[in-house]
Amino acid sequence: MYRVAVFVGSTRPTSSNLKLAKALEKLAAGKLQFQYIKIDNLPFYDDALWNDPPAEVMRLKREIAAADAVLFVTPEYNRSIPGILKNAIDWPSRPFGESVWTDKPGAIAGATGGVSGTAAAQAHLRSILPVVGVALMGRPEIYFQSRPGAIDDDHHITDERLSTNLNIWVERFTDWIGMFTKPQQAVEE
Ligand code: FNR
């Protein structure tokens, strides 16, 4: 079992990206243990704050350091990622030389109602994450166009073909993590 720190780029309780993350968690049961990381209480990045680092920032760095892998599930905001997500990426990358992202295996996914399926936002993530040190899985990719009923209330993917493809994604991501780390015992929540 690998522990995956999950970053959802939307804080809406009814977020389609949170639903997609929960659907992936369900498909990955027994292989990946998801831990949803709180990012909506971080201050905006400010270099001066390292003089007396905010507790939330240090908590964030610890959670990433303890995880075997990281997963970003992001909406697209004006053809990029939401600012809240960028802020949560910037903090753990500092102080310079102390990035906790370094060599963390990672993957990305995204959901939108739009036909682009967050392709532009994910392209930006693909340029940001390797720079901070994440070992990013290239493929398979997930561009999820959310439609009513696509994910049911139990976080079950209703389309069989899509479910098969996401199962393949789970297998590949698990293999990808395995190239970097050994599985840990499941942790009781
Ligand atoms: C959007 N949305 C959007 N969608 C898209 O496909 N491409 C885009 O560039 C944008 N831009 C954009 C900007 C802003 C400020 C907002 C608030 C929204 C729509 C967005 O993808 C949609 O609201 C998603 O449902 C948001 O994700 P959650 O909250 O459902 O996870």
Side-chain angles (χ1 to χ4, degrees):
M1 189 86 124
Y2 294 115
R3 290 163 59 185
V4 180
V6 181
F7 295 81
V8 176
S10 168
T11 55
R12 294 193 313 131
T14 58
S15 159
S16 56
N17 283 277
L18 180 60
K19 272 189 194 143
L20 174 58
K22 298 259 180 189
L24 291 171
E25 180 180 14
K26 188 164 190 140
L27 291 174
K31 294 182 182 143
L32 307 177
Q33 185 177 26
F34 280 20
Q35 183 191 4
Y36 292 88
I37 307 296
K38 191 167 173 56
I39 60 173
D40 61 359
N41 56 355
L42 296 168
F44 287 125
Y45 188 88
D46 180 340
D47 225 28
L49 294 182
W50 285 115
N51 293 329
D52 182 17
E56 286 310 319
V57 170
M58 298 315 286
R59 185 260 317 154
L60 177 65
K61 290 196 75 164
R62 274 196 306 276
E63 287 173 343
I64 296 165
D68 295 314
V70 291
L71 170 63
F72 298 83
V73 187
T74 187
E76 182 168 293
Y77 281 5
N78 298 320
R79 299 292 180 261
S80 188
I81 60 171
I84 191 172
L85 189 57
K86 182 64 163 54
N87 192 47
I89 294 170
D90 289 338
W91 270 118
S93 73
R94 293 280 154 160
F96 184 77
E98 295 176 33
S99 171
V100 282
W101 299 115
T102 305
D103 296 334
K104 278 293 163 195
I108 63 179
T112 172
V115 288
S116 73
T118 71
Q122 290 194 48
H124 283 187
L125 260 186
R126 284 194 184 283
S127 65
I128 297 164
L129 292 176
V131 170
V132 297
V134 173
L136 194 60
M137 181 172 78
R139 58 195 295 269
E141 298 167 292
I142 301 177
Y143 300 113
F144 187 76
Q145 192 183 7
S146 49
R147 295 200 191 85
I151 299 173
D152 70 18
D153 291 345
D154 268 343
H155 304 115
H156 173 80
I157 305 272
T158 52
D159 182 284
E160 205 173 310
R161 189 154 162 253
L162 181 58
S163 176
T164 302
N165 285 337
L166 293 182
N167 265 314
I168 292 169
W169 179 93
V170 167
E171 278 170 29
R172 296 278 174 79
F173 187 34
T174 306
D175 289 347
W176 180 255
I177 300 168
M179 289 166 64
F180 297 83
T181 186
K182 299 239 178 315
Q184 303 185 28
Q185 293 292 320
V187 175
E188 295 295 327
E189 295 282 341

